[in-house]
Amino acid sequence: MCRRDDTTVVALADDLSGAAEVAALLGLPARLALRPADLGLSPAPGEAVVVDLDSRYLDEGAAAAAVRAAVRAVRAAGRVSSGAGRDADGNLAEGRAFRAVNSGAVDGGPLWFKKCDSLLRGPVGAEAAAFAEGAEVLVIATALPAARRVVRGGVVLVDGVPLHESAAWRAEERAAPRSVAGALAPLPVTGVPVETVRRGPIALAGRFREVAADGRHPVCDAETDTDLTVIATAAALLGPGVRLLGSGGLAAALGRLLTSRRPTPPSAGTRSPAPVPPSATHTPAAATTEPASPPSPAGPAATCPDTASGAARAVVPVYDTVPVGTGGRGLLVVAGSAEPVVGEQVGRLVAAGARHVVLAPGQLAGTDTVVLPAPAPGSVTVVSVDGAGGVRAGAARAVVAGLARAVSALPGRPDLVLTGGETARRVLDALGVTTLRPVGEIHHGAVHCTTTDGRSVVTRPGSFGGPDSFVRIAAALRPSQQGVTQ
């Protein structure tokens, strides 16, 4: 059995799209909090609480302080233990987090996970150092094979190109790090090559112990989801003092460990879920799929690794259809990312019949709120920023803030698709949304959530998804429509 029903998870992320991604991939009932203070609320048994620290663009000191404050909020609640082996003063802590994964012990301690950007953007090192405080060892794996981002020799490769030589950081104000270790400074780390990872969980756990004994933290190479599953399994063997830090790929591996039981089949007389068109296939929260592997019409099956052998066994999908509660609302797609693929995604959605509103960066960066046309009930509208003249990196946040003001001023409370973590967070802040409930993934990284008042919100990192991403999302949220309509 991969998990006990009482296992809880506390996860921290530096932006909203990453937090939503983790909440979906962990495979547990989840609450996504936009305020760190909400971490003081005790997770229910078998629940994940994921908080967006909104720290991607904070300075290092403020980002580290946000991580420490979130950890303190959980401890102060007094309802779940810290999960660390030793506290900041070196005293043995009570947490028994990972033992719950592989043993029969009943445990109240949470599993601790820290999401970092797979492209190493943001104050990664400062946050990692703060998160490692109180842990015996922090196991680090930043690869995201599903997005063709792997780690080899301690270097992130994006489509085979070293990160610092790629165009992935073109919108950033500083140079990309040359290695994962460089991004993690000042955290003391030791690289673990993929050859060591592929010796299997038991040998890898032994290597983790050796690294921890030297007062350092292991940074693991990984090129496949199987590598990440081995890393998560090895960490689970170490016991209560371990925390995990990595991308959504590592979160998915942890989810595969935590997800073990098939849902109970519907009883006689229970109505089966409505069939889902292939374009709207809903990926279960525990599944991670490679972009080149199209889902089957029946929906992809999640897998749960056998922790002893590393083999995977099929698990019936958690969701067969996307829950829809549109209430006649329009659907507004906010394309707030500068990633090149977004332009093609918008184009395909417009070709399918969506209304397109293009806004100038200078207009959005001004002090006046831009007035958007209200989406009609049942319609799909996509709003994008005109990038023909380029957007200066220093002005990007002002543009996003203007976009958030414009969306929040819309009447009619449309359902939302928000691309880019910064865009998603600013829009939800402007709307006063503080909590989301993830219901699953539409495709990798496109996480469908609901607000407390029933509005659908899909978040997605800007660089994720193929050219048909927006069309797939619109079809999933509006499965009764034969196409996208104005």
Side-chain angles (χ1 to χ4, degrees):
M1 184 166 65
C2 294
R3 75 170 177 91
R4 294 184 54 83
D5 289 340
D6 59 355
T7 302
T8 60
V9 178
V10 176
L12 311 178
D14 67 349
D15 80 340
L16 182 56
S17 60
E21 181 187 7
V22 169
L25 293 173
L26 287 174
L28 302 176
R31 172 161 44 93
L32 202 170
L34 276 63
R35 299 180 304 185
D38 289 346
L39 273 177
L41 301 174
S42 175
E47 181 186 36
V49 175
V50 184
V51 67
D52 171 25
L53 298 176
D54 194 22
S55 56
R56 173 71 59 85
Y57 296 102
L58 296 180
D59 62 44
E60 292 185 349
V67 172
R68 294 188 185 103
V71 173
R72 283 197 303 270
V74 175
R75 290 177 174 174
R79 300 185 183 97
V80 292
S81 63
S82 70
R86 296 183 182 275
D87 62 23
D89 298 321
N91 300 315
L92 188 65
E94 293 297 325
R96 295 178 295 276
F98 278 86
R99 193 173 302 148
V101 177
N102 288 314
S103 77
V106 176
D107 233 69
L111 301 167
W112 283 91
F113 182 87
K114 174 70 178 68
K115 165 71 165 59
C116 76
D117 180 48
S118 60
L119 296 176
L120 305 178
R121 294 171 296 183
V124 176
E127 292 193 359
F131 190 61
E133 293 172 2
E136 290 180 358
V137 63
L138 179 63
V139 174
I140 301 153
T142 66
L144 186 59
R148 300 176 301 281
R149 299 166 188 175
V150 305
V151 178
R152 188 180 304 136
V155 175
V156 174
L157 303 178
V158 182
D159 285 323
V161 179
L163 176 63
H164 60 279
E165 297 176 6
S166 75
W169 272 50
R170 60 188 169 278
E172 302 299 311
E173 297 181 26
R174 56 193 178 92
R178 301 181 71 88
S179 67
V180 179
L184 289 170
L187 188 73
V189 299
T190 294
V192 178
V194 73
E195 293 80 9
T196 301
V197 171
R198 290 175 181 173
R199 288 189 209 158
I202 295 175
L204 184 59
R207 180 56 183 149
F208 289 165
R209 291 189 186 96
E210 293 170 355
V211 172
D214 289 337
R216 307 180 75 81
H217 304 279
V219 173
C220 301
D221 285 1
E223 300 178 2
T224 68
D225 286 332
T226 299
D227 293 337
L228 292 170
T229 298
V230 171
I231 291 165
T233 305
L237 296 175
L238 293 183
V242 180
R243 294 180 183 178
L244 288 170
L245 182 147
S247 70
L250 187 60
L254 179 57
R256 290 190 288 272
L257 285 180
L258 294 171
T259 305
S260 62
R261 295 181 177 177
R262 295 176 183 270
T264 303
S267 58
T270 301
R271 186 175 63 181
S272 299
V276 185
S279 62
T281 299
H282 183 69
T283 305
T288 299
T289 57
E290 297 287 345
S293 302
S296 67
T303 59
C304 181
D306 183 304
T307 56
S309 66
R313 58 183 186 273
V315 176
V316 175
V318 178
Y319 301 107
D320 290 316
T321 185
V322 178
V324 177
T326 66
R329 288 189 291 265
L331 177 63
L332 181 68
V333 178
V334 183
S337 172
E339 292 291 334
V341 70
V342 172
E344 186 174 0
Q345 292 166 348
V346 169
R348 293 202 180 188
L349 187 61
V350 173
R355 181 179 188 177
H356 189 194
V357 179
V358 183
L359 302 175
Q363 183 184 17
L364 289 168
T367 56
D368 295 334
T369 299
V370 175
V371 178
L372 297 175
S379 69
V380 179
T381 301
V382 57
V383 175
S384 65
V385 179
D386 184 2
V391 179
R392 291 184 297 106
R397 299 200 77 190
V399 171
V400 170
L403 193 58
R405 288 195 303 271
V407 173
S408 66
L410 277 173
R413 301 176 57 258
D415 291 331
L416 300 170
V417 178
L418 307 173
T419 62
E422 177 75 0
T423 296
R425 180 60 193 246
R426 299 285 80 80
V427 168
L428 294 180
D429 281 349
L431 291 170
V433 175
T434 61
T435 303
L436 295 171
R437 284 283 182 181
V439 294
E441 284 193 303
I442 295 170
H443 66 66
H444 179 71
V447 181
H448 178 207
C449 301
T450 58
T451 61
T452 54
D453 58 0
R455 180 189 297 203
S456 283
V457 176
V458 175
T459 61
R460 197 208 72 192
S463 60
F464 280 35
D468 65 345
S469 172
F470 288 155
V471 173
R472 290 180 64 187
I473 293 169
L477 294 178
R478 300 294 188 268
S480 62
Q481 298 178 204
Q482 295 302 308
V484 177
T485 60
Q486 291 187 322

